[in-house]
Amino acid sequence: MVNIIHRIGIRSGSEKVYKAISTIEGVSNWWTEEVEGDDKAEGKIQFTFRTDTGNIKGQMLMEVKELNPQQRVRWHCVEGPDEWIGTDVTFDLSEQDNQTILIFGHRNWREAVEFTSHCSMKWAVFLLTLRDYVETGKGKPSPNDIKIDNWN
Amino acid sequence: MVNIIHRIGIRSGSEKVYKAISTIEGVSNWWTEEVEGDDKAEGKIQFTFRTDTGNIKGQMLMEVKELNPQQRVRWHCVEGPDEWIGTDVTFDLSEQDNQTILIFGHRNWREAVEFTSHCSMKWAVFLLTLRDYVETGKGKPSPNDIKIDNWN
């Protein structure tokens, strides 16, 4: 199995970071504005990404598998791009040196394909904007996300 | 073996991107200002990273293993952090949709440790500044690089 794993520090307590990764309102401020569903344990959350003209370019349905306040969130992808189905998105938090350290994972890809490396870079950019959102109140979720290549 | 692989598109021809990744002057504009050595095939290049107060916080010696103009650069790490020794840094270029697509790899880590995830995120930030450098002439190499966590 192939894993994307990034480490980032956010100058904030873990409670605020946890809220940004575990609630529909939180995630809509840094990943995509269009989020709906049930963010409780065993709930399903749908994330939609659109082109500039409003067409859907990507949609993922995640089941909330773990919710440990201030410590861990895990989603399991049940619908979405073929390569994503069956993968897990994890957020592990700890406090160190007056920062909340987030170990972000997008784990259990069946194989490393070019789309994996696109997602690796794209997740890094979303984590920077997650940090901005928590630290300043202002993130850049899709459709206003930073584009990184000819795919998105 | 564990690989970090990121995909980024740069709005420029591949010749300019190749120069930014294959020459000492190029790399000093987006990774670290302190680069010295021989950037020819089989040459060795030393990269130095310092703290704000000027102390060395990291130093890597890379052997230039592949230099295929407009296509590929590969370095092999011969000295540096223990986890980096024996790893390969690769840059693969292609032109698509009026961009140069760079597949960046830091490959052949013995295992995935927390430092790997730090480096994954840090490389993504350096690739954004590589893009800025090629597109605008201005990057943010160390020591003026964007810090991503409590380690750097």
Side-chain angles (χ1 to χ4, degrees):
Chain A
M1 292 289 191
V2 172
N3 301 325
I4 294 166
I5 311 177
H6 297 319
R7 184 186 200 272
I8 190 167
I10 300 174
R11 294 184 184 281
S12 159
S14 57
E15 200 169 337
K16 203 168 165 188
V17 178
Y18 183 74
K19 204 172 163 190
I21 58 177
S22 66
T23 67
I24 285 177
E25 194 210 332
V27 179
S28 72
N29 274 286
W30 63 269
W31 195 27
T32 176
E33 287 180 359
E34 201 169 330
V35 188
E36 51 192 6
D38 174 8
D39 57 18
K40 307 286 187 312
E42 307 303 324
K44 291 198 177 97
I45 311 176
Q46 183 167 266
F47 302 91
T48 302
F49 296 79
R50 292 184 189 271
T51 63
D52 289 343
T53 52
N55 295 318
I56 291 178
K57 68 178 167 192
Q59 204 164 42
M60 297 85 166
L61 189 67
M62 299 281 189
E63 190 172 340
V64 180
K65 287 291 192 179
E66 293 180 59
L67 275 183
N68 299 327
Q70 281 68 277
Q71 291 184 31
R72 180 165 234 239
V73 172
R74 179 165 69 91
W75 301 329
H76 185 72
C77 184
V78 289
E79 290 175 23
D82 182 53
E83 299 90 335
W84 280 45
I85 296 172
T87 61
D88 291 273
V89 174
T90 58
F91 302 85
D92 288 286
L93 307 181
S94 64
E95 293 189 351
Q96 295 172 33
D97 302 329
N98 295 315
Q99 300 184 24
T100 295
I101 300 300
L102 163 61
I103 307 282
F104 167 87
H106 186 180
R107 299 168 194 261
N108 305 322
W109 289 66
R110 287 188 299 275
E111 57 180 338
V113 293
E114 195 165 343
F115 184 50
T116 319
S117 53
H118 165 83
C119 293
S120 180
M121 187 69 205
K122 193 80 192 177
W123 277 122
V125 169
F126 280 121
L127 295 177
L128 291 173
T129 190
L130 163 61
R131 176 162 83 171
D132 286 343
Y133 167 58
V134 173
E135 292 184 355
T136 72
K138 179 77 184 149
K140 281 195 175 179
S142 175
N144 301 308
D145 52 322
I146 295 168
K147 304 302 186 279
I148 56 144
D149 59 23
N150 57 333
W151 291 350
N152 183 26
Chain B
M1 291 289 192
V2 172
N3 300 326
I4 295 165
I5 311 179
H6 298 319
R7 184 185 199 271
I8 190 168
I10 301 173
R11 293 185 185 280
S12 159
S14 57
E15 199 168 339
K16 204 169 165 188
V17 178
Y18 183 74
K19 204 172 164 190
I21 58 177
S22 66
T23 66
I24 285 177
E25 194 209 331
V27 179
S28 72
N29 275 286
W30 64 270
W31 194 27
T32 176
E33 287 181 358
E34 202 169 330
V35 188
E36 51 191 6
D38 174 8
D39 57 18
K40 307 287 186 312
E42 307 303 325
K44 290 197 179 99
I45 311 177
Q46 183 168 267
F47 302 92
T48 303
F49 296 79
R50 292 182 190 272
T51 65
D52 288 343
T53 51
N55 295 318
I56 291 178
K57 67 178 167 192
Q59 204 165 43
M60 296 84 166
L61 189 66
M62 299 281 191
E63 191 172 338
V64 180
K65 287 291 194 181
E66 292 180 58
L67 275 182
N68 299 327
Q70 281 69 274
Q71 292 184 32
R72 179 166 234 240
V73 173
R74 180 166 69 91
W75 301 328
H76 185 72
C77 183
V78 289
E79 291 174 24
D82 183 51
E83 298 91 337
W84 280 44
I85 296 172
T87 61
D88 291 272
V89 174
T90 58
F91 303 85
D92 288 286
L93 307 180
S94 63
E95 294 189 352
Q96 296 173 34
D97 301 330
N98 295 316
Q99 300 184 22
T100 295
I101 301 300
L102 163 61
I103 307 282
F104 167 86
H106 186 180
R107 300 168 194 260
N108 304 321
W109 290 65
R110 286 187 300 272
E111 55 181 338
V113 293
E114 195 165 343
F115 184 50
T116 318
S117 52
H118 165 82
C119 293
S120 180
M121 186 70 203
K122 193 79 192 179
W123 275 123
V125 168
F126 280 120
L127 295 177
L128 291 173
T129 191
L130 163 61
R131 175 163 82 170
D132 287 341
Y133 167 58
V134 173
E135 291 183 356
T136 73
K138 179 76 184 149
K140 279 195 175 182
S142 175
N144 301 308
D145 52 323
I146 295 168
K147 303 304 185 278
I148 54 145
D149 60 22
N150 58 333
W151 291 350
N152 183 27

